[in-house]
Amino acid sequence: MKRVSRYVGVLVAVVLGMGILSAQAASQSPHEVVSQSVEQLMSKLDNNQDRYRNHPDELKSVVEQNIDPIVDWRYASASVMGKYFQAASPEQRSKFARVFKQTLIDTYAQGLVTFDYKDVRVMDDNNQRYDDQASVDMEVIASSGERYPVSYTLRNRDGSWKVINVVVNGINLGLTFRNQFDQAMRANHRDFDAVINGWAPDVDLKDGDGDNQKAQG
């Protein structure tokens, strides 16, 4: 990762939210799933930072176990590829999905041992937009008192709620990554392999910048 590593602590908000969804039940609403699961996830993370800091591979495994079942990786990676998805070969699509997933897991794992969080709060608002789509809002509070809002867009597919996009601190990650993929394709003359091999998202989640997208979606 490039500049994103300087703000990796903020990304712990994302993995906290994603992780708590892994214990979901099909009969529960997304909000109920989050509210009932957050305490369980926090108990796993508390007092284990030193161990995970010294065993990064173990932490990455924990992170993957937490978020893999509840993220629609194919949908998310296809959305990032945007208009280029149809032109990519099946092998290139699959490879990008793997690279996309691994870069996020590595970033989240690093954030878990560097971010000094105090509390995670699930908002009471019910933001279910449609029968098959909803959003869950959270707030991660740092020990310094700073508050980081997080909003997850989830889609119900075959009775299972899965994350398809995340907005952290006002930054829409899906739109930001899609714009960066487009820029990389233009810079590399539409060479999919070059873009995929060099994929390194550039996101300033702390302050935001001109390249980041703040629209909801």
Side-chain angles (χ1 to χ4, degrees):
M1 312 293 282
K2 296 181 180 177
R3 194 170 78 242
V4 70
S5 62
R6 292 193 286 142
Y7 305 100
V8 69
V10 182
L11 283 172
V12 71
V14 180
V15 75
L16 284 172
M18 287 182 171
I20 61 181
L21 296 175
S22 62
Q24 64 181 302
S27 60
Q28 293 180 310
S29 70
H31 184 273
E32 289 173 335
V33 170
V34 173
S35 299
Q36 294 176 14
S37 303
V38 64
E39 184 176 347
Q40 179 180 354
L41 179 70
M42 293 299 291
S43 67
K44 292 180 181 179
L45 299 177
D46 285 346
N47 303 317
N48 286 318
Q49 285 190 323
D50 287 340
R51 172 175 177 77
Y52 288 140
R53 189 176 292 111
N54 296 320
H55 299 83
D57 289 339
E58 180 178 338
L59 178 58
K60 289 179 182 179
S61 178
V62 170
V63 170
E64 182 170 5
Q65 290 173 8
N66 279 334
I67 70 174
D68 190 43
I70 51 80
V71 179
D72 191 335
W73 294 107
R74 185 181 183 280
Y75 184 99
S77 61
S79 179
V80 169
M81 295 181 80
K83 63 184 180 182
Y84 302 102
F85 179 79
Q86 293 297 332
S89 69
E91 293 77 13
Q92 289 168 332
R93 296 173 187 173
S94 297
K95 182 177 181 180
F96 180 68
R98 292 193 300 270
V99 170
F100 178 73
K101 172 181 173 180
Q102 193 59 53
T103 55
L104 291 185
I105 288 175
D106 291 348
T107 301
Y108 299 157
Q110 185 179 352
L112 285 172
V113 294
T114 60
F115 186 64
D116 189 13
Y117 62 87
K118 179 181 180 181
D119 195 13
V120 178
R121 297 177 181 175
V122 181
M123 302 295 102
D124 293 331
D125 295 337
N126 185 359
N127 296 317
Q128 186 155 349
R129 304 169 185 172
Y130 311 103
D131 289 342
D132 63 346
Q133 185 171 317
S135 63
V136 176
D137 295 331
M138 292 179 55
E139 186 177 63
V140 176
I141 304 172
S143 295
S144 63
E146 289 183 274
R147 297 170 182 266
Y148 299 101
V150 183
S151 180
Y152 300 91
T153 300
L154 302 94
R155 183 176 62 163
N156 190 322
R157 187 173 185 180
D158 299 326
S160 179
W161 288 98
K162 288 186 178 290
V163 175
I164 58 174
N165 193 27
V166 186
V167 178
V168 184
N169 205 29
I171 305 303
N172 187 315
L173 297 186
L175 290 178
T176 298
F177 293 158
R178 186 187 307 166
N179 286 343
Q180 292 179 3
F181 191 93
D182 177 57
Q183 293 169 6
M185 287 292 286
R186 293 172 184 271
N188 288 276
H189 308 290
R190 297 176 178 261
D191 185 334
F192 280 100
D193 294 329
V195 172
I196 294 171
N197 291 333
W199 180 248
D202 185 14
V203 182
D204 185 342
L205 292 175
K206 184 175 181 180
D207 300 314
D209 60 35
D211 293 331
N212 289 333
Q213 301 296 311
K214 295 194 175 184
Q216 298 288 323

